[in-house]
Amino acid sequence: MRRARKMKVAALLMAGSMALAACASDETGGGSSGGGGEGGGSDELRIGLAFDTGGRGDRSFNDAAVAGLDAAIEEHGGEFQDLSPNADGSNRADLLTQLADEGYNPIIAVGFAYGEVIGDVVEQYPDTTFAIIDSSAEEIGADNLTGLLFSEEQGSFLAGVAAALKSETSHIGFVGGVETPLIQKFEAGYVAGAQAVNPQITIDRQYISPAGDFSGFNAPDRGLLVAQGMYEGGADIVYHAAGGSGLGVFQAAAAAGARAIGVDSDQYQTVDDPALQAVILTSMLKRVDTAVSSFIDSYVDESVEGGSDIVYNLEQDGVGLSTSGGFIDDIQDQIDDYRQQIVDGEIEVPTTP
């Protein structure tokens, strides 16, 4: 009989910032596994997941991938192993190689940073199916690799619309984790959306760490300081695209009696502190969970198209805004109008600041 072990994301939601620090270790993680499935080849389904910086428990990007893995294991059975990079991310290729050597297939690399190394790895394992989130398989040119991409700028545009409509000071902010082209897509869309509502709005923008330094995705204390400066400067809503560092942004918002916007997951649901929930206006949803579970589905039914990219955008509900808390209910019609204009091609959202 099929046994499916469903990882409990709720168990990751320990109270306060100490939980994030404890869960978001940069050390290589131990594996977890579920029972074998039955039918459709699921007896042999062994999924490997290599996390981005911050690992399991970041309540954002990585945990969205966990949710997708949960769904796939629940549906198909099988077992899994997940690993996290070390502090400087220098062992990313080793993580992928370890999973392949141990027979995991498919293997999913969570995050664009794997794009620098995955081409060499997949070449060594032509019989293993790989996917990478936020990097293009078409550019890498490997037949056993699929790229899972998102139109982050489109969802961020709507976050900017919400911020501009809700701001009482006409002054908002953006905190990026690491200054890379990917995170600049979030910034570009957010700025464009806010300016579409209010061309005169003031928008503070700052990154926690420069390109190449991925610590900015797992530094809540630094996220707090950056956001604190923005709130003290007059911003009343700050949007973060900073992974685990976003917890610090929420803490700064709570201390300032202001608002913040989360990213990737519905962070109103993943942050279990009521004081922090109260300040999360909305979250820009990046459906990494959908991408992961759908990719595993396609692997099980043997419909994976290697060497290609799958792009999740507004039209596919691959990105969007959460409504938890009801804080944007009164402006939902305006948000929906802008969404439709993007889907219809009337608004072309920029991807660079």
Side-chain angles (χ1 to χ4, degrees):
M1 180 177 293
R2 187 184 77 181
R3 295 183 295 122
R5 180 186 182 277
K6 181 175 178 63
M7 296 179 294
K8 298 180 180 178
V9 176
L12 303 171
L13 305 182
M14 305 176 198
S17 60
M18 290 181 64
L20 181 65
C23 292
S25 169
D26 282 333
E27 298 302 319
T28 299
S32 301
S33 64
E38 64 180 6
S42 61
D43 283 319
E44 299 179 4
L45 182 61
R46 304 180 71 230
I47 306 165
L49 198 69
F51 284 127
D52 201 358
T53 299
R56 178 191 292 270
D58 69 348
R59 310 186 188 202
S60 183
F61 183 63
N62 288 304
D63 279 356
V66 170
L69 180 59
D70 276 353
I73 292 293
E74 180 73 10
E75 175 69 20
H76 303 294
E79 62 181 80
F80 65 89
Q81 169 84 321
D82 57 67
L83 303 174
S84 294
N86 56 16
D88 62 4
S90 59
N91 67 336
R92 293 180 189 275
D94 295 336
L95 301 184
L96 297 175
T97 299
Q98 177 182 337
L99 291 170
D101 282 342
E102 293 178 0
Y104 289 94
N105 191 15
I107 295 170
I108 303 169
V110 183
F112 66 88
Y114 285 95
E116 299 178 0
V117 300
I118 198 169
D120 291 335
V121 175
V122 300
E123 186 176 354
Q124 297 173 40
Y125 299 92
D127 296 327
T128 301
T129 299
F130 293 82
I132 182 168
I133 297 170
D134 289 341
S135 281
S136 170
E138 293 180 358
E139 292 180 5
I140 294 172
D143 291 338
N144 58 332
L145 176 65
T146 300
L148 306 177
L149 307 178
F150 298 83
S151 298
E152 295 92 352
E153 73 282 358
Q154 293 183 355
S156 296
F157 185 100
L158 299 186
V161 168
L165 289 172
K166 282 293 189 177
S167 176
E168 297 178 358
T169 63
S170 294
H171 187 168
I172 60 176
F174 171 81
V175 176
V178 181
E179 191 167 8
T180 65
L182 174 64
I183 305 304
Q184 287 175 331
K185 289 173 67 180
F186 291 84
E187 176 192 351
Y190 180 67
V191 170
Q195 291 178 340
V197 173
N198 178 5
Q200 306 305 317
I201 196 168
T202 299
I203 308 173
D204 298 330
R205 293 171 265 178
Q206 188 172 338
Y207 287 83
I208 297 174
S209 63
D213 177 2
F214 295 102
S215 66
F217 288 133
N218 193 32
D221 55 338
R222 291 155 64 190
L224 186 152
L225 289 175
V226 171
Q228 186 178 56
M230 292 181 179
Y231 291 124
E232 290 176 351
D236 61 349
I237 299 173
V238 174
Y239 172 41
H240 88 85
S245 299
L247 182 64
V249 176
F250 300 149
Q251 292 169 335
R259 293 280 195 183
I261 296 176
V263 76
D264 295 333
S265 300
D266 182 350
Q267 296 204 277
Y268 181 93
Q269 300 293 340
T270 63
V271 176
D272 58 349
D273 184 342
L276 300 187
Q277 285 180 318
V279 305
I280 300 176
L281 179 69
T282 181
S283 296
M284 197 290 280
L285 300 176
K286 178 175 173 178
R287 297 306 303 271
V288 173
D289 57 338
T290 298
V292 168
S293 62
S294 295
F295 173 73
I296 296 170
D297 289 345
S298 66
Y299 174 83
V300 170
D301 65 24
E302 300 182 346
S303 63
V304 173
E305 295 185 11
S308 64
D309 296 327
I310 302 172
V311 181
Y312 293 85
N313 56 27
L314 271 181
E315 187 171 8
Q316 300 171 317
D317 291 325
V319 293
L321 292 185
S322 66
T323 58
S324 297
F327 302 127
I328 61 171
D329 288 354
D330 59 326
I331 59 171
Q332 193 62 56
D333 287 346
Q334 291 158 283
I335 292 171
D336 289 344
D337 180 62
Y338 278 107
R339 178 191 182 280
Q340 195 60 48
Q341 290 183 63
I342 294 171
V343 170
D344 292 343
E346 297 172 12
I347 294 177
E348 184 173 348
V349 184
T351 57
T352 56

